Amino acid sequence: MIHEVDQLIKDLLGEGALTGSGVDVLFDAPTRDWAARRGGPTIDAYLYDIREDVRLRERGTTSIRDTRGAVVRHRRPPRWFRLSYLVTAWTKQAEDEHRLLSAVLATLLPHEVLAPDRLPGPLATLGLSVPLSVAGVQNEARSAAEIWSALGGELKPSVDLVVTVPFPAFPEYDAAPAVTEGAVVRVRDTEGRLSGSPERRLRPARRETDVPPPHGTDTAVTATAAGRRRRP
């Protein structure tokens, strides 16, 4: 999922105020050596922290239904993770870097929540919206000063971007097939013999989503909560 979020950020940064700007979008660690090799204008989104949002953890399973409404699979709820990115701008002049950061804010701020149809690959198949936090306060994440100290570089203006994404940590499970045929009941005599005993066939009650039987089909016996009755 992480590489899909990278692609999502790259697509977002290529829109809005940055459309047609020709600015490179990278995900490298902005170390001193990396910065010395930069040539043209660059926006760097460095992933520095991955942390589960335990407040969004759910229990139980979710049922997956087919077009008739029958349960065909069971899926456990995904785990939600906050991916924190340090977004920086790199040019020859500080004023140009500030303009790029302003363009980053103008591009990302309208996207507080991304609908599933805006998400790439398996993220979209989950059918869940993804929230974005731009330049917010992240108490559990490391501070900007700590990050720059670990990278060995000088402190630089940056935008903190947090994308909270669902991660399918568990596989799906096939559901048992739906019951389509009822049980067969044979009545024994007092000596336990089946010879000549009547036979009754019980069919499961139809759901509203089931297709009704063709005209003239013998429905024999239907089980109800009150008992059994023979249908004409």
Side-chain angles (χ1 to χ4, degrees):
M1 290 296 180
I2 296 177
H3 63 284
E4 293 164 0
V5 176
D6 290 346
Q7 185 61 48
L8 174 63
I9 293 174
K10 191 170 186 177
D11 293 341
L12 289 176
L13 291 177
E15 302 174 359
L18 294 169
T19 302
S21 63
V23 177
D24 292 332
V25 178
L26 303 178
F27 298 89
D28 300 326
T31 61
R32 189 185 300 272
D33 292 339
W34 177 89
R37 297 193 302 268
R38 290 301 93 213
T42 302
I43 293 176
D44 187 59
Y46 172 56
L47 177 62
Y48 68 89
D49 193 76
I50 302 172
R51 197 179 300 269
E52 182 183 2
D53 192 338
V54 295
R55 298 171 301 176
L56 300 178
R57 187 182 297 183
E58 300 179 32
R59 304 294 182 184
T61 59
T62 301
S63 298
I64 303 173
R65 301 178 180 271
D66 60 13
T67 55
R68 298 181 301 132
V71 177
V72 293
R73 297 179 71 81
H74 295 291
R75 174 190 297 164
R76 293 196 177 186
R79 304 274 285 273
W80 291 81
F81 288 84
R82 293 202 306 268
L83 307 184
S84 300
Y85 291 83
L86 185 77
V87 183
T88 50
W90 300 81
T91 65
K92 298 294 184 181
Q93 300 294 328
E95 293 84 354
D96 294 333
E97 293 179 353
H98 296 170
R99 291 189 182 95
L100 281 181
L101 289 178
S102 295
V104 168
L105 287 174
T107 301
L108 295 179
L109 284 176
H111 301 288
E112 293 184 356
V113 178
L114 294 175
D117 57 0
R118 290 296 309 272
L119 306 178
L123 275 178
T125 61
L126 293 176
L128 300 171
S129 299
V130 169
L132 269 66
S133 173
V134 183
V137 178
Q138 302 299 322
N139 294 328
E140 297 181 7
R142 287 171 285 180
S143 67
E146 292 176 326
I147 298 171
W148 287 112
S149 176
L151 293 172
E154 298 178 357
L155 187 61
K156 193 176 177 66
S158 62
V159 173
D160 203 65
L161 171 64
V162 179
V163 186
T164 306
V165 293
F167 198 98
F170 300 96
E172 297 179 358
Y173 300 92
D174 291 329
V179 178
T180 58
E181 296 183 2
V184 177
V185 179
R186 295 184 179 90
V187 181
R188 298 177 181 269
D189 59 19
T190 56
E191 296 182 0
R193 293 174 298 186
L194 289 173
S195 177
S197 63
E199 179 180 288
R200 295 181 181 180
R201 293 184 177 272
L202 305 180
R203 298 199 177 190
R206 289 179 301 175
R207 303 186 307 271
E208 294 181 359
T209 55
D210 288 344
V211 178
H215 179 71
T217 301
D218 182 15
T219 55
V221 178
T222 301
T224 65
R228 301 187 181 88
R229 60 187 177 88
R230 184 173 297 277
R231 300 181 62 179

